[in-house]
Amino acid sequence: MKKNITIRSNRLDISQKIKTIITKKFSEYGYNVSEEFTDKTSLVISIGGDGSFLRAARELDFPDVPFFCINTGHLGFFAEILPDEKEIDYFIDSYMNNEFEINELPLLEIDIENSVHSVRDYAINELVVRGNRSRTAHLNLFVNGNFMETFSGDGLILSTSTGSTAYNYSAGGSIVDNRLKIMQITPISPISSNAFRSFTSSIILPAEDSEISINPEYKFDNSILIVIDGEEKKYQNISKIKSRQASKRIKLLRLRDYEFWNRVYMKFLKTYDYKENERKSF
Ligand code: NAP
């Protein structure tokens, strides 16, 4: 039976403290808890914010075991619990009693090509193709080989349902229930004029049988930048970026009370109630 837990944490004092507590508690159940990922690892615990989880998943090359996220960061959209000892005990009890669900989130598979090479990458949230050094990006967009538009503007976001609440949302895209398997293409500051005409809002495609292809038009050398889940990729003379839903998935361990729209409410819409907080402090 697999008895290893991999733990990844950012450097905040609170995260390090939680790491020590979790290591001790799981060790008492016979688990070997360390930063290493081995073939005996059955769970990865990420302590930090969403950024910490995205980095851990990439560093571990999107392993086929569930991640559990503890939020000591800012937003914590992926996180199930806060760094609180009672919540940690609730998580460990739920884990030991198999009282959880596994949410499987499909990744985007991305091929970045130039005249010589093709490099494959994967995204949990999104692929961004944008102008480098404040240049306008001119991007020919194809869906399943059919020409759609020559986009001109700051760039295009190709978002998964999972990424819909991230950069996509800030750029005016829609929040998508993560049970829906779609890809959303959201323009960043599109130009729509007599000179250039682009979609000014998002388009949504079925993830399963859509291949998106973006061919940059260069007015200046190397004026295109690729950003995958916040990580900049520097490639020379990119000729084509192709993307589709991957067969790989990232798994998230969800506790019993997880509900997507409640998470959206709590993280985006719930306002801070000053009066209630004042009352609590008396
Ligand atoms: P970052 O500082 O790690 O993240 C920026 C914000 O996005 C943080 O508040 C982060 O939460 C939140 N976030 C990440 N994934 C999310 C998701 N699926 N749903 C809701 N919120 C999410 O920035 P980074 O290292 O440059 O890039 C990581 C991600 O940030 C990217 O994948 C991109 O989606 C997003 N981003 C957003 C903008 C924007 O909104 N204008 C710009 C660049 C990047 P935590 O606070 O918990 O880390």
Side-chain angles (χ1 to χ4, degrees):
M1 189 195 158
K2 289 183 169 186
K3 274 292 209 183
N4 281 14
I5 290 178
T6 300
I7 195 158
R8 293 291 168 107
S9 146
N10 65 19
R11 290 187 186 171
L12 291 179
D13 285 349
I14 178 78
S15 305
Q16 295 300 322
K17 198 174 145 212
I18 296 302
K19 185 175 164 185
T20 308
I21 294 172
I22 289 205
T23 304
K24 184 167 173 288
K25 288 191 185 241
F26 268 111
S27 303
E28 285 163 7
Y29 284 101
Y31 281 87
N32 176 24
V33 185
S34 76
E35 284 193 9
E36 298 306 311
F37 185 89
T38 73
D39 56 5
K40 291 205 176 92
T41 298
S42 54
L43 177 70
V44 180
I45 299 176
S46 166
I47 308 172
D50 296 327
S52 305
F53 159 66
L54 293 170
R55 275 187 294 281
R58 289 184 74 75
E59 275 168 24
L60 299 173
D61 197 19
F62 310 103
D64 190 30
V65 298
F67 279 72
F68 183 79
C69 301
I70 301 175
N71 182 26
T72 60
H74 296 271
L75 184 72
F77 196 76
F78 291 108
E80 287 295 282
I81 61 168
L82 292 168
D84 168 285
E85 215 160 332
K86 271 197 191 136
E87 295 207 19
I88 292 170
D89 286 341
Y90 170 56
F91 154 54
I92 295 178
D93 278 355
S94 304
Y95 186 69
M96 297 314 297
N97 293 318
N98 268 316
E99 287 170 352
F100 57 81
E101 282 186 11
I102 302 295
N103 226 194
E104 293 200 11
L105 309 173
L107 305 177
L108 272 186
E109 184 174 80
I110 302 154
D111 291 327
I112 303 161
E113 300 176 8
N114 67 14
S115 54
V116 194
H117 294 111
S118 176
V119 180
R120 179 157 287 182
D121 212 320
Y122 294 91
I124 297 174
N125 276 344
E126 78 286 286
L127 156 74
V128 182
V129 182
R130 60 178 312 139
N132 197 5
R133 286 178 273 126
S134 310
R135 298 268 187 223
T136 304
H138 302 279
L139 307 169
N140 292 312
L141 175 69
F142 296 81
V143 176
N144 293 335
N146 298 303
F147 176 73
M148 295 286 287
E149 65 165 349
T150 300
F151 168 87
S152 294
D154 283 0
L156 287 173
I157 301 172
L158 176 51
S159 167
T160 58
S161 300
T162 310
S164 67
T165 44
Y167 196 1
N168 168 73
Y169 182 55
S170 308
S174 295
I175 293 183
V176 177
D177 190 316
N178 63 17
R179 288 166 294 191
L180 295 175
K181 305 298 175 241
I182 59 98
M183 289 195 268
Q184 182 166 188
I185 305 176
T186 297
I188 314 170
S189 304
I191 304 177
S192 198
S193 66
N194 284 346
F196 302 114
R197 210 165 282 285
S198 317
F199 282 121
T200 53
S201 60
S202 301
I203 57 174
I204 294 183
L205 306 157
E208 266 174 17
D209 50 10
S210 300
E211 182 174 83
I212 314 299
S213 184
I214 296 174
N215 303 2
E217 269 181 15
Y218 289 103
K219 304 215 168 175
F220 303 95
D221 281 350
N222 288 314
S223 49
I224 294 302
L225 185 65
I226 307 274
V227 190
I228 297 178
D229 288 348
E231 216 176 279
E232 282 190 6
K233 306 279 166 186
K234 304 257 183 219
Y235 298 110
Q236 300 289 312
N237 304 314
I238 297 162
S239 53
K240 189 181 279 189
I241 303 119
K242 286 194 292 188
S243 190
R244 61 197 80 79
Q245 179 174 269
S247 49
K248 266 187 197 223
R249 280 161 163 53
I250 194 86
K251 295 178 177 170
L252 283 176
L253 190 150
R254 302 295 197 187
L255 298 178
R256 264 177 312 206
D257 38 11
Y258 172 77
E259 208 281 317
F260 176 79
W261 290 104
N262 178 255
R263 181 67 54 92
V264 171
Y265 170 71
M266 297 302 282
K267 298 293 178 180
F268 288 96
L269 297 169
K270 188 170 190 280
T271 45
Y272 187 77
D273 187 339
Y274 291 94
K275 285 203 176 128
E276 190 187 337
N277 244 37
E278 260 172 36
R279 281 196 298 274
K280 274 187 194 157
S281 61
F282 284 104

